[in-house]
Amino acid sequence: MKYETPGTRQRVNLTVREDVISDAQALGINISRAAEAGIEAALKAEQSRRWLADNADAIKAHNERIKREGMALPAPWWAEEEA
């Protein structure tokens, strides 16, 4: 896995299980980069969860309108069912 290196980095203290650290070291995994990738994944997941929660009413209203009125545009030619 390739990690991008930003211009600046910040030193932090983490507490990680000993078996995880020793296994990672044995496999030559860059622990800082792996931790950073895990934090980025957690950030994306939480941002997505919050966006969905913040927009739940609008999404529900949109889906109800589609169910009631149908799509605003006709289906594209490649998605039309053959008669």
Side-chain angles (χ1 to χ4, degrees):
M1 181 182 299
K2 182 178 179 183
Y3 300 98
E4 294 195 20
T5 305
T8 59
R9 303 188 76 75
Q10 181 176 342
R11 184 176 296 274
V12 298
N13 291 323
L14 297 174
T15 303
V16 181
R17 287 189 348 241
E18 286 181 17
D19 61 319
V20 172
I21 294 298
S22 60
D23 289 349
Q25 289 173 333
L27 294 172
I29 293 173
N30 183 319
I31 296 167
S32 293
R33 298 290 194 265
E36 187 174 277
I39 293 167
E40 285 179 339
L43 283 169
K44 288 178 184 179
E46 181 61 15
Q47 288 167 338
S48 177
R49 187 197 67 76
R50 288 184 185 197
W51 186 92
L52 287 171
D54 290 346
N55 293 284
D57 292 339
I59 294 167
K60 181 180 177 185
H62 174 74
N63 289 337
E64 288 173 355
R65 185 195 62 78
I66 296 296
K67 186 176 182 180
R68 185 178 61 249
E69 301 173 15
M71 297 294 290
L73 298 173
W77 62 268
W78 66 84
E80 292 177 357
E81 294 182 25
E82 291 185 27

